[in-house]
């Protein structure tokens, strides 16, 4: 059974320095759960030669080529390709490049993307392996259509923000009292969309879902997340018992690589989610991730495919910095690609934002567009210093306590 029972929220943190007079730096992260972060760091170092001594203008002038360079390293592809540790490292490096580019342009990342003409945006995307579903011409056509009403949608984001849902109330392991208290506080703060973790014990899941549904009422939206715990038949059986609580979706019901499994679950139950299974009609919602996919470049291609198939995108967030990053992508998606908020929302988890220089701003259960230049990836120096492994103050205390 797969579950994240003892996560130690961590990140590989990349800083790109330049010799430019403006003194700007690019910051990139990829989220991890503790052990294994050192492996991601090794992969980042293995990719570093592709960035060192390069001119930022040359990189962004041929961003598709640079992306291909990182993902097609002749030797590192053997331990990928475009998945696993190497791809997490690729995301960290590219996130830093995008942060630097946005800072140099003096714009938040979402605005950098919104202001780009369609051809320039499309030139950032590697269409290899996609052209049977999405061609360069398809992408340009989608973005061209997205120009209509763009200014009005940007104004809507600036005044109203992008709708969010909360995962903070219903983690596995929370007592009933804690769960009730957190739901009560969330309702008071204006939240109308809630996600609950399931999959440990079906009777306990039913009890907890009933408790939450009673707390939030029938009109609020409820989602479920199984974190890849089930086989396909098990998922179908389990969700048939949870269907009475009217979930909008079930997230990660089985192995993330089992496309036909997701399709089978989907045909048995509406609102079954997972990522890039569009051709198999295996999902009703699609979740992007700012650090698991290959940064902005790859996320752009997924947003465009989702638009072509008219599948709503509801990003995954939480973790270390995921909320900070993915808000830029989904705000861009609304303004330039999807042009719709129907059945769309972005995950929000209320923790670890205090470590970021430009933390997310939530107002009335919505993400308000960041206004600072960059990709919101930069962490506070003091936080980095304290938590850096293994020499940071926090780690020194932990390791000393373990020895004793």
């Amino acid at each position: 059974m797969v579950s994240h029972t003892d996560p130690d929220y961590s990140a590989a943190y990349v800083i790109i320095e330049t010799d430019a007079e403006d003194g700007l730096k690019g910051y990139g992260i990829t989220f991890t759960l503790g052990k294994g972060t050192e492996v991601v760091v090794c992969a980042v170092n293995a990719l570093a030669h592709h960035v060192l001594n390069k001119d930022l203008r040359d990189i962004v002038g041929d961003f598709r080529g640079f992306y291909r360079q990182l993902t097609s390293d002749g030797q590192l592809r053997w331990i990928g390709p475009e998945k696993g540790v190497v791809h997490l490292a690729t995301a960290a490096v590219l996130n830093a490049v995008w942060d630097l580019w946005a800072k140099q342009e003096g714009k938040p990342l979402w605005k950098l993307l919104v202001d780009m003409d369609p051809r320039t945006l499309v030139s950032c995307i590697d269409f290899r392996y996609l052209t049977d579903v999405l061609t360069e011409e398809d992408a340009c056509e989608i973005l061209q259509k997205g120009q209509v009403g763009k200014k009005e949608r940007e104004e809507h984001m600036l005044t109203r923000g992008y709708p969010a849902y909360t995962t903070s109330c219903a983690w596995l392991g929370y007592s009933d009292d804690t769960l009730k208290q957190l739901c009560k506080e969330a309702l008071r703060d204006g939240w109308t969309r809630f996600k609950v973790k399931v999959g440990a014990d079906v009777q306990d899941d039913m009890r907890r879902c009933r408790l939450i549904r009673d707390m939030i009422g029938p009109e609020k939206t409820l989602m479920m997340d199984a974190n890849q715990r089930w086989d396909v038949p098990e998922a179908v059986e389990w969700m048939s018992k949870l269907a009475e609580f009217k979930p909008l979706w079930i997230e990660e019901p089985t192995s993330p690589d089992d496309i036909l499994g997701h399709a089978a679950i989907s045909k048995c139950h509406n609102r079954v989610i997972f990522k890039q299974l569009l051709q198999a009609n295996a999902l009703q919602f699609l979740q992007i991730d700012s650090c698991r996919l290959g940064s902005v470049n790859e996320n752009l291609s997924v947003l465009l495919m989702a638009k072509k198939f008219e599948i709503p995108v509801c990003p995954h967030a939480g973790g270390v910095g995921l909320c900070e990053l993915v808000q830029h992508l989904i705000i861009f998606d609304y303004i330039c690609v999807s042009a719709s908020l129907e059945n769309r929302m972005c995950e929000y988890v209320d923790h670890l934002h205090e470590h970021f220089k430009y933390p997310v701003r939530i107002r009335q259960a919505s993400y308000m567009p960041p206004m600072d230049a960059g990709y919101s990836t930069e962490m506070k120096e003091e936080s980095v210093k304290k938590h850096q492994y293994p020499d940071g103050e926090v780690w020194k205390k932990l390791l000393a306590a373990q020895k004793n």
Side-chain angles (χ1 to χ4, degrees):
M1 179 177 284
V2 178
S3 62
H4 309 307
T5 53
D6 59 343
D8 187 355
Y9 278 21
S10 309
Y13 190 50
V14 173
I15 305 173
I16 294 177
E17 298 182 354
T18 77
D19 55 6
E21 291 181 6
D22 57 24
L24 295 173
K25 297 178 184 179
Y27 297 82
I29 59 173
T30 193
F31 170 56
T32 59
L33 289 185
K35 290 172 188 171
T37 311
E38 70 280 12
V39 184
V40 181
V41 171
C42 282
V44 167
N45 289 329
L47 290 169
H49 68 280
H50 292 292
V51 189
L52 292 173
N53 302 313
K54 299 292 193 299
D55 192 299
L56 179 64
R57 286 167 299 184
D58 294 337
I59 289 174
V60 300
D62 180 22
F63 220 150
R64 179 184 299 163
F66 182 70
Y67 179 89
R68 181 78 67 92
Q69 214 180 68
L70 283 179
T71 57
S72 297
D73 183 295
Q75 295 176 22
L76 290 177
R77 255 184 89 77
W78 185 256
I79 55 171
E82 298 183 60
K83 66 183 81 166
V85 169
V86 174
H87 214 43
L88 291 174
T90 298
V93 172
L94 286 169
N95 284 341
V97 172
W98 279 99
D99 181 55
L100 183 60
W101 188 13
K103 283 176 177 171
Q104 194 176 72
E105 294 294 324
K107 298 177 180 181
L109 188 278
W110 68 267
K111 183 64 172 164
L112 174 71
L113 296 175
V114 164
D115 289 349
M116 272 189 211
D117 67 89
R119 284 283 168 196
T120 305
L121 258 174
V122 166
S123 74
C124 298
I125 299 169
D126 185 357
F127 287 89
R128 181 169 59 171
Y129 312 137
L130 299 181
T131 53
D132 56 330
V133 167
L134 184 78
T135 65
E136 198 165 333
E137 291 70 32
D138 292 335
C140 282
E141 187 180 334
I142 290 168
L143 289 165
Q144 205 61 54
K145 286 179 180 174
Q147 298 295 303
V148 179
K150 186 169 126 176
K151 285 183 180 176
E152 291 80 4
R153 290 192 296 275
E154 182 173 343
E155 187 57 37
H156 180 86
M157 285 291 98
L158 290 168
T159 55
R160 303 283 295 278
Y162 197 92
Y165 73 86
T166 178
T167 307
S168 300
C169 299
W171 294 92
L172 286 171
Y174 279 0
S175 69
D176 288 0
D177 286 344
T178 298
L179 198 152
K180 286 178 184 176
Q181 183 61 31
L182 290 172
C183 278
K184 187 177 176 182
E185 290 171 6
L187 288 165
R188 185 193 63 209
D189 292 339
W191 291 93
T192 60
R193 306 170 186 92
F194 299 78
K195 189 167 79 179
V196 56
K197 298 286 185 175
V198 297
D201 176 272
V202 69
Q203 295 304 321
D204 190 56
D205 283 349
M206 291 178 73
R207 185 186 59 76
R208 289 168 65 252
C209 288
R210 185 171 289 110
L211 192 155
I212 293 165
R213 181 52 88 188
D214 288 345
M215 284 288 298
I216 68 175
E219 75 287 354
K220 304 285 194 299
T221 305
L222 183 66
M223 290 80 71
M224 298 177 185
D225 183 358
N227 286 121
Q228 309 167 24
R229 285 172 174 262
W230 302 319
D231 282 339
V232 173
E234 190 180 17
V236 172
E237 182 184 358
W238 208 296
M239 284 312 299
S240 69
K241 293 173 180 174
L242 297 180
E244 67 173 280
F245 305 107
K246 297 188 168 37
L248 180 64
W249 73 57
I250 171 62
E251 181 178 332
E252 292 193 315
T254 191
S255 164
D257 296 329
D258 191 350
I259 293 171
L260 296 180
H262 279 84
I265 298 165
S266 177
K267 285 167 187 168
C268 291
H269 297 275
N270 288 329
R271 316 295 189 209
V272 183
I273 189 170
F274 208 60
K275 300 177 185 175
Q276 305 153 50
L277 307 166
L278 295 161
Q279 279 180 297
N281 296 317
L283 74 171
Q284 286 75 50
F285 297 89
L286 185 148
Q287 285 189 307
I288 57 169
D289 187 297
S290 54
C291 293
R292 189 161 283 280
L293 291 175
S295 189
V296 178
N297 312 69
E298 192 170 23
N299 273 293
L300 288 173
S301 66
V302 177
L303 292 174
L304 289 162
M305 282 192 289
K307 174 60 179 175
K308 184 172 180 181
F309 284 84
E310 292 298 344
I311 297 294
V313 176
C314 299
H316 171 252
V320 179
L322 298 186
C323 296
E324 274 70 20
L325 274 68
V326 85
Q327 61 178 335
H328 290 269
L329 303 178
I330 201 61
I331 288 168
F332 158 77
D333 178 62
Y334 170 66
I335 295 170
C336 294
V337 182
S338 74
S340 172
L341 293 176
E342 185 179 354
N343 276 334
R344 288 166 167 84
M345 64 199 89
C346 185
E347 183 171 24
Y348 174 72
V349 180
D350 186 16
H351 61 205
L352 302 176
H353 305 296
E354 67 274 13
H355 298 296
F356 284 83
K357 193 169 178 181
Y358 309 108
V360 294
R361 293 182 301 129
I362 296 289
R363 192 172 77 203
Q364 294 178 324
S366 295
Y367 279 92
M368 299 310 296
M371 302 310 291
D372 296 288
Y375 196 7
S376 306
T377 42
E378 186 175 348
M379 299 181 83
K380 293 177 181 174
E381 281 187 35
E382 187 59 25
S383 287
V384 174
K385 191 176 175 183
K386 274 187 176 180
H387 293 87
Q388 190 162 348
Y389 181 84
D391 299 320
E393 178 187 323
V394 170
W395 278 104
K396 279 184 175 176
K397 286 179 181 175
L398 281 169
L399 293 170
Q402 285 174 9
K403 284 179 183 176
N404 296 330

